[in-house]
Amino acid sequence: MKALVLGGGGREHALVRALSLDPGVTDLHCAPGNPGTSEHADNHVINPVDGLAVTELASRIGAELVVIGPEAPLVAGVADALRERGIPVFGPDQQAARLEGSKGFAKEVMEAAGVPTARSRLCRSPSQAAEALDAFGPPYVVKDDGLAAGKGVVVTEDRAEAERHARECGRAVVEEYLDGPEVSLFVISDGIHALPMLPAQDFKRAYDGDRGPNTGGMGAYAPVAWAPEGMVDEVMETVVGPTLTEMARRGIRYQGLLYVGLALTSQGPRVVEFNARFGDPECQVLLDRLATPIGGLLQAADIGGLSSSTKLEWRGGAAVTVVIAAENYPAEPAKGDPVTGIDAASALDGAYVLHAGTAWSGVRDLTSAGGRVLDVVGTGDTLARARERAYQAAELIDLRGSFYRTDIAERAAAGTA
């Protein structure tokens, strides 16, 4: 199989790495990619949201699978353009991707499907937002209705901050706060059959102790040993099945990855959000644990082959990823600083480094080129060992002004989650 991955971040490096380990994938490409993906794939400099450019590249290289990493190409309809050319693609079409592209649409679908989620209101003006904030009370939860690169959500006790974010959003979803820890469940769907992956947990706040602003994600781990028994089956029955059925009722076949963000509340699992692609950085740890060859699996979501009897195989042990972020992330992250220590970190037993926001400077020198610069992955037979290796490797990275959380998977590894 010849495969093409769209995107250039840490999630895409993880996808490229996983595909490179699949013996069925014989030729691998990435667009635009990054310095890390170039170790496994041929990078191509194109705009991944340009459907024509993507289909022309896929046709030229004879791609038999295109994996769309980020949300923007999905919402732009790149999957539609590929399917129109008969090119298998892992990723929902433009209509289905509205589950992520519009929080309001996602809430509408959930309500129609009877999916358990927070009560909410779609607000189109500051006055509507103020009324909703009054109705739901603190902590205030305000979400940008559109795409915001994982940073469009504000959860705060500060009423002025909540109102300010609602004004900045224009169209905002204001909803009640859900108590309880959050867990991510990824589901591979062909529109009829749905295949759950392992639950994972990520860490959205910038600093230790879940302090600071929301980010795209500062780390993750899998598996989630403390998750309630039967949680996955319950979510598949009460959330995923009804959602796919409601989408089909609207004439929309959901093919690709459905990301279900959950709050495990005192009343049971509640949906926090849907995404239409692999979450980042949960993708990094889940693909590390996945033993099933990924190429044929992702292709089957488009061309058929998934069934109710399809089972995924998982490696034992655990994986932890720690995000190394640039100075001043997530506001205005510093860029262009030298990055060193990656070879030393990757040389550690049970550890490796994925590129999330890097660029070449000169022939072989690396510089930072994004807010989240590197994902350091540690693996081990226990979560505590995986965590130890991830942090040993992270200590070897040198990037001026960079920072990372020191408490990723800490409570889970200690058995106190």
Side-chain angles (χ1 to χ4, degrees), residues 325-336:
E327 181 182 24
N328 204 36
Y329 175 75
E332 294 293 335
K335 299 179 182 180

Side-chain angles (χ1 to χ4, degrees), residues 95-399:
Q95 285 297 310
R98 289 185 66 203
L99 280 181
E100 177 167 5
S102 169
K103 299 289 191 299
F105 175 75
K107 285 291 188 179
E108 177 189 314
V109 169
M110 282 188 266
E111 181 178 357
V115 168
T117 187
R119 293 178 299 131
S120 66
R121 295 184 186 179
L122 177 62
C123 304
R124 297 175 174 83
S125 68
S127 61
Q128 289 181 343
E131 291 175 3
L133 293 169
D134 287 338
F136 297 132
Y140 303 109
V141 181
V142 183
K143 301 179 176 181
D144 194 326
D145 180 54
L147 296 181
K151 297 185 285 292
V153 180
V154 163
V155 181
T156 181
E157 297 277 355
D158 186 331
R159 175 63 179 254
E161 181 184 4
E163 292 181 345
R164 181 170 58 252
H165 186 63
R167 286 195 302 272
E168 292 171 349
C169 292
R171 285 169 54 98
V173 172
V174 177
E175 62 183 40
E176 66 176 335
Y177 177 77
L178 296 175
D179 66 314
E182 293 189 12
V183 174
S184 303
L185 182 66
F186 295 179
V187 178
I188 297 172
S189 170
D190 63 3
I192 300 173
H193 304 102
L195 197 61
M197 303 184 77
L198 290 176
Q201 187 174 50
D202 77 331
F203 296 75
K204 290 294 187 188
R205 297 286 187 170
Y207 309 126
D208 285 7
D210 290 328
R211 295 180 296 107
N214 267 340
T215 72
M218 293 298 294
Y221 68 91
V224 181
W226 55 264
E229 184 177 355
M231 183 198 77
V232 172
D233 290 340
E234 180 181 354
V235 173
M236 294 299 291
E237 180 180 348
T238 63
V239 175
V240 176
T243 298
L244 295 180
T245 298
E246 173 61 21
M247 293 290 278
R249 188 189 68 80
R250 296 168 180 242
I252 304 170
R253 181 171 179 173
Y254 196 100
Q255 294 174 278
L257 196 290
L258 178 63
Y259 168 116
V260 185
L262 298 163
L264 305 186
T265 75
S266 53
Q267 285 77 43
R270 298 289 186 270
V271 175
V272 176
E273 65 175 348
F274 285 138
N275 288 334
R277 38 72 193 181
F278 281 108
D280 183 347
E282 302 101 315
C283 175
Q284 286 81 318
V285 291
L286 287 174
L287 294 187
D288 181 273
R289 296 293 86 196
L290 182 63
T292 302
I294 191 175
L297 175 67
L298 301 187
Q299 189 188 59
D302 187 80
I303 66 174
L306 295 182
S307 71
S308 57
S309 62
T310 304
K311 302 295 182 184
L312 298 180
E313 296 181 2
W314 298 94
R315 299 182 177 89
V320 174
T321 187
V322 176
V323 172
I324 296 181
E327 181 182 24
N328 204 36
Y329 175 75
E332 294 293 335
K335 299 179 182 180
D337 291 308
V339 182
T340 59
I342 293 176
D343 290 342
S346 296
L348 291 177
D349 183 42
Y352 57 92
V353 179
L354 300 171
H355 293 238
T358 64
W360 292 121
S361 175
V363 179
R364 296 297 297 175
D365 294 331
L366 281 175
T367 60
S368 59
R372 294 184 293 174
V373 182
L374 298 171
D375 301 319
V376 181
V377 182
T379 65
D381 55 355
T382 66
L383 185 60
R385 185 67 176 128
R387 184 174 183 275
E388 178 184 12
R389 286 170 167 169
Y391 280 110
Q392 286 176 342
E395 290 176 2
L396 298 175
I397 303 297
D398 186 26
L399 169 61

